[in-house]
Short mmCIF file of all heavy atoms in Angstrom, two decimals:
data_model
loop_
_atom_site.label_atom_id
_atom_site.label_comp_id
_atom_site.label_asym_id
_atom_site.label_seq_id
_atom_site.Cartn_x
_atom_site.Cartn_y
_atom_site.Cartn_z
N GLY N 1 0.87 -1.23 0.00
CA GLY N 1 0.03 -0.02 -0.05
C GLY N 1 0.85 1.21 0.02
O GLY N 1 0.44 2.26 -0.63
N VAL N 2 2.02 1.23 0.69
CA VAL N 2 2.94 2.37 0.66
C VAL N 2 3.35 2.70 -0.75
O VAL N 2 3.44 3.85 -1.19
CB VAL N 2 4.13 2.09 1.56
CG1 VAL N 2 5.25 3.08 1.26
CG2 VAL N 2 3.77 2.17 3.00
N GLY N 3 3.65 1.61 -1.54
CA GLY N 3 3.97 1.82 -2.91
C GLY N 3 2.91 2.51 -3.73
O GLY N 3 3.12 3.50 -4.52
N ALA N 4 1.69 2.03 -3.52
CA ALA N 4 0.52 2.58 -4.25
C ALA N 4 0.30 4.04 -3.91
O ALA N 4 -0.02 4.86 -4.70
CB ALA N 4 -0.75 1.77 -3.97
N HIS N 5 0.47 4.39 -2.57
CA HIS N 5 0.23 5.73 -2.11
C HIS N 5 1.34 6.69 -2.55
O HIS N 5 1.14 7.93 -2.44
CB HIS N 5 0.12 5.75 -0.60
CG HIS N 5 -1.19 5.41 -0.10
ND1 HIS N 5 -1.67 4.05 -0.01
CD2 HIS N 5 -2.29 6.20 0.26
CE1 HIS N 5 -2.89 4.03 0.45
NE2 HIS N 5 -3.33 5.28 0.66
N ALA N 6 2.40 6.23 -3.18
CA ALA N 6 3.41 7.14 -3.70
C ALA N 6 2.85 8.02 -4.78
O ALA N 6 3.40 9.12 -4.99
CB ALA N 6 4.61 6.33 -4.18
N LEU N 7 1.82 7.59 -5.38
CA LEU N 7 1.22 8.40 -6.49
C LEU N 7 -0.14 9.00 -6.07
O LEU N 7 -0.84 9.54 -6.92
CB LEU N 7 0.97 7.53 -7.70
CG LEU N 7 2.25 6.97 -8.35
CD1 LEU N 7 1.89 6.28 -9.69
CD2 LEU N 7 3.28 8.07 -8.63
N ALA N 8 -0.49 9.01 -4.82
CA ALA N 8 -1.72 9.60 -4.36
C ALA N 8 -1.74 11.10 -4.63
O ALA N 8 -0.78 11.80 -4.53
CB ALA N 8 -1.94 9.39 -2.80
N ARG N 9 -2.87 11.59 -5.11
CA ARG N 9 -3.02 12.93 -5.56
C ARG N 9 -3.51 13.85 -4.41
O ARG N 9 -3.47 15.10 -4.50
CB ARG N 9 -3.91 13.05 -6.75
CG ARG N 9 -3.37 12.37 -8.04
CD ARG N 9 -4.18 12.67 -9.18
NE ARG N 9 -5.50 12.07 -9.15
CZ ARG N 9 -5.79 10.86 -9.59
NH1 ARG N 9 -4.83 10.07 -10.20
NH2 ARG N 9 -6.99 10.36 -9.48
N GLY N 10 -4.10 13.37 -3.41
CA GLY N 10 -4.71 14.17 -2.36
C GLY N 10 -3.53 14.77 -1.40
O GLY N 10 -2.63 14.01 -1.04
N GLY N 11 -3.65 15.99 -1.06
CA GLY N 11 -2.67 16.60 -0.16
C GLY N 11 -3.16 16.59 1.24
O GLY N 11 -4.23 15.95 1.61
N PHE N 12 -2.46 17.18 2.17
CA PHE N 12 -2.68 17.17 3.61
C PHE N 12 -4.18 17.77 3.84
O PHE N 12 -4.92 17.20 4.51
CB PHE N 12 -1.72 17.95 4.37
CG PHE N 12 -2.00 18.13 5.77
CD1 PHE N 12 -1.85 17.07 6.70
CD2 PHE N 12 -2.55 19.28 6.30
CE1 PHE N 12 -2.27 17.22 8.00
CE2 PHE N 12 -2.92 19.49 7.54
CZ PHE N 12 -2.73 18.41 8.45
N LEU N 13 -4.38 18.88 3.19
CA LEU N 13 -5.73 19.58 3.40
C LEU N 13 -6.84 18.76 2.94
O LEU N 13 -7.88 18.59 3.65
CB LEU N 13 -5.67 20.96 2.74
CG LEU N 13 -6.97 21.82 3.05
CD1 LEU N 13 -7.10 22.09 4.45
CD2 LEU N 13 -6.84 23.12 2.26
N ALA N 14 -6.69 18.17 1.78
CA ALA N 14 -7.77 17.37 1.23
C ALA N 14 -8.04 16.16 2.14
O ALA N 14 -9.22 15.73 2.36
CB ALA N 14 -7.45 16.83 -0.17
N ASN N 15 -7.00 15.48 2.65
CA ASN N 15 -7.20 14.31 3.58
C ASN N 15 -7.79 14.85 4.86
O ASN N 15 -8.66 14.13 5.45
CB ASN N 15 -5.86 13.71 3.77
CG ASN N 15 -5.49 12.78 2.65
OD1 ASN N 15 -5.90 11.60 2.55
ND2 ASN N 15 -4.69 13.30 1.66
N ALA N 16 -7.36 15.93 5.35
CA ALA N 16 -7.88 16.45 6.63
C ALA N 16 -9.37 16.76 6.49
O ALA N 16 -10.21 16.52 7.47
CB ALA N 16 -7.11 17.65 7.07
N LEU N 17 -9.78 17.23 5.38
CA LEU N 17 -11.26 17.59 5.18
C LEU N 17 -12.04 16.39 4.67
O LEU N 17 -13.26 16.55 4.52
CB LEU N 17 -11.37 18.72 4.16
CG LEU N 17 -10.66 20.11 4.61
CD1 LEU N 17 -10.79 21.08 3.49
CD2 LEU N 17 -11.37 20.62 5.90
N THR N 18 -11.31 15.30 4.47
CA THR N 18 -12.00 14.10 3.96
C THR N 18 -12.91 14.37 2.77
O THR N 18 -14.03 14.03 2.72
CB THR N 18 -12.79 13.30 5.05
OG1 THR N 18 -13.87 14.19 5.57
CG2 THR N 18 -11.94 12.85 6.21
N LEU N 19 -12.34 15.10 1.78
CA LEU N 19 -13.08 15.45 0.54
C LEU N 19 -13.49 14.18 -0.16
O LEU N 19 -12.75 13.14 -0.09
CB LEU N 19 -12.24 16.28 -0.36
CG LEU N 19 -11.85 17.70 0.32
CD1 LEU N 19 -10.97 18.52 -0.63
CD2 LEU N 19 -13.14 18.52 0.73
N PRO N 20 -14.59 14.18 -0.97
CA PRO N 20 -15.10 12.97 -1.63
C PRO N 20 -14.06 12.27 -2.48
O PRO N 20 -13.98 11.00 -2.49
CB PRO N 20 -16.30 13.49 -2.43
CG PRO N 20 -16.77 14.68 -1.68
CD PRO N 20 -15.51 15.35 -1.10
N PHE N 21 -13.31 13.07 -3.25
CA PHE N 21 -12.35 12.43 -4.18
C PHE N 21 -11.24 11.70 -3.39
O PHE N 21 -10.64 10.73 -3.93
CB PHE N 21 -11.73 13.49 -5.06
CG PHE N 21 -10.52 14.21 -4.56
CD1 PHE N 21 -9.22 13.66 -4.69
CD2 PHE N 21 -10.61 15.47 -3.90
CE1 PHE N 21 -8.11 14.32 -4.25
CE2 PHE N 21 -9.54 16.14 -3.41
CZ PHE N 21 -8.28 15.56 -3.57
N VAL N 22 -10.96 12.08 -2.10
CA VAL N 22 -9.95 11.37 -1.31
C VAL N 22 -10.44 9.98 -1.01
O VAL N 22 -9.66 8.98 -1.15
CB VAL N 22 -9.70 12.16 0.03
CG1 VAL N 22 -8.81 11.34 0.95
CG2 VAL N 22 -9.05 13.49 -0.28
N ALA N 23 -11.71 9.79 -0.69
CA ALA N 23 -12.28 8.42 -0.43
C ALA N 23 -12.17 7.54 -1.72
O ALA N 23 -11.77 6.41 -1.58
CB ALA N 23 -13.69 8.54 0.05
N ARG N 24 -12.49 8.21 -2.87
CA ARG N 24 -12.37 7.41 -4.09
C ARG N 24 -10.93 7.02 -4.38
O ARG N 24 -10.65 5.90 -4.86
CB ARG N 24 -12.94 8.29 -5.25
CG ARG N 24 -14.39 8.49 -5.18
CD ARG N 24 -14.97 9.06 -6.53
NE ARG N 24 -14.42 10.32 -6.87
CZ ARG N 24 -14.91 11.50 -6.53
NH1 ARG N 24 -16.03 11.57 -5.80
NH2 ARG N 24 -14.39 12.63 -6.91
N GLU N 25 -10.00 8.02 -4.06
CA GLU N 25 -8.64 7.72 -4.30
C GLU N 25 -8.16 6.54 -3.44
O GLU N 25 -7.38 5.69 -3.89
CB GLU N 25 -7.80 8.95 -4.08
CG GLU N 25 -6.26 8.84 -4.25
CD GLU N 25 -5.85 9.02 -5.64
OE1 GLU N 25 -6.67 8.94 -6.51
OE2 GLU N 25 -4.66 9.17 -5.81
N GLU N 26 -8.56 6.59 -2.22
CA GLU N 26 -8.19 5.52 -1.23
C GLU N 26 -8.70 4.13 -1.74
O GLU N 26 -7.92 3.17 -1.61
CB GLU N 26 -8.70 5.86 0.17
CG GLU N 26 -8.03 6.92 0.91
CD GLU N 26 -6.62 6.49 1.27
OE1 GLU N 26 -6.38 5.28 1.53
OE2 GLU N 26 -5.75 7.36 1.28
N ARG N 27 -9.92 4.10 -2.20
CA ARG N 27 -10.47 2.79 -2.69
C ARG N 27 -9.65 2.32 -3.87
O ARG N 27 -9.31 1.19 -4.03
CB ARG N 27 -11.89 2.95 -3.09
CG ARG N 27 -12.83 3.02 -1.92
CD ARG N 27 -14.29 2.87 -2.38
NE ARG N 27 -14.72 3.88 -3.27
CZ ARG N 27 -15.32 5.00 -2.91
NH1 ARG N 27 -15.44 5.27 -1.62
NH2 ARG N 27 -15.74 5.87 -3.78
N ARG N 28 -9.32 3.29 -4.80
CA ARG N 28 -8.56 2.87 -6.07
C ARG N 28 -7.26 2.31 -5.64
O ARG N 28 -6.79 1.34 -6.16
CB ARG N 28 -8.37 4.11 -6.90
CG ARG N 28 -7.69 3.86 -8.24
CD ARG N 28 -7.57 5.11 -9.11
NE ARG N 28 -6.72 6.11 -8.54
CZ ARG N 28 -5.43 6.22 -8.65
NH1 ARG N 28 -4.83 5.23 -9.40
NH2 ARG N 28 -4.70 7.11 -8.12
N LEU N 29 -6.48 3.03 -4.71
CA LEU N 29 -5.14 2.57 -4.32
C LEU N 29 -5.17 1.23 -3.58
O LEU N 29 -4.38 0.35 -3.70
CB LEU N 29 -4.49 3.64 -3.47
CG LEU N 29 -4.25 4.97 -4.21
CD1 LEU N 29 -3.65 5.99 -3.22
CD2 LEU N 29 -3.27 4.79 -5.40
N SER N 30 -6.23 1.09 -2.70
CA SER N 30 -6.44 -0.17 -2.02
C SER N 30 -6.69 -1.32 -2.94
O SER N 30 -6.14 -2.42 -2.79
CB SER N 30 -7.59 -0.04 -0.93
OG SER N 30 -7.84 -1.19 -0.36
N GLU N 31 -7.50 -1.10 -3.97
CA GLU N 31 -7.79 -2.14 -4.97
C GLU N 31 -6.50 -2.50 -5.76
O GLU N 31 -6.27 -3.70 -6.01
CB GLU N 31 -8.90 -1.61 -5.93
CG GLU N 31 -10.26 -1.63 -5.28
CD GLU N 31 -11.25 -0.87 -6.13
OE1 GLU N 31 -10.92 -0.41 -7.26
OE2 GLU N 31 -12.44 -0.69 -5.70
N ARG N 32 -5.67 -1.54 -6.07
CA ARG N 32 -4.45 -1.83 -6.74
C ARG N 32 -3.50 -2.59 -5.86
O ARG N 32 -2.90 -3.62 -6.36
CB ARG N 32 -3.71 -0.50 -7.10
CG ARG N 32 -2.37 -0.69 -7.86
CD ARG N 32 -1.67 0.66 -8.07
NE ARG N 32 -2.44 1.55 -8.85
CZ ARG N 32 -2.00 2.82 -9.03
NH1 ARG N 32 -0.86 3.27 -8.60
NH2 ARG N 32 -2.78 3.66 -9.76
N ALA N 33 -3.46 -2.28 -4.59
CA ALA N 33 -2.52 -3.13 -3.70
C ALA N 33 -3.09 -4.50 -3.57
O ALA N 33 -2.28 -5.48 -3.63
CB ALA N 33 -2.53 -2.46 -2.28
#
C-alpha cells in the first residue's frame, strides 16, 4: 500500500477535510494493492 500511495494525488488539506475524491482515491489505491 505504501507503494501505491506514492502516487496519491490528495494533499494534507484534502485528507484532513475528507473530501469525496480522497475516499475514491483511497479505494482505487487499496484495490491496486
Side-chain angles (χ1 to χ4, degrees):
V2 165
H5 277 80
L7 297 185
R9 294 188 293 269
F12 173 78
L13 183 59
N15 281 277
L17 297 175
T18 61
L19 297 179
F21 85 87
V22 172
R24 292 195 298 270
E25 178 85 344
E26 285 292 327
R27 284 195 300 272
R28 184 178 67 86
L29 297 176
S30 178
E31 289 168 1
R32 182 186 300 175

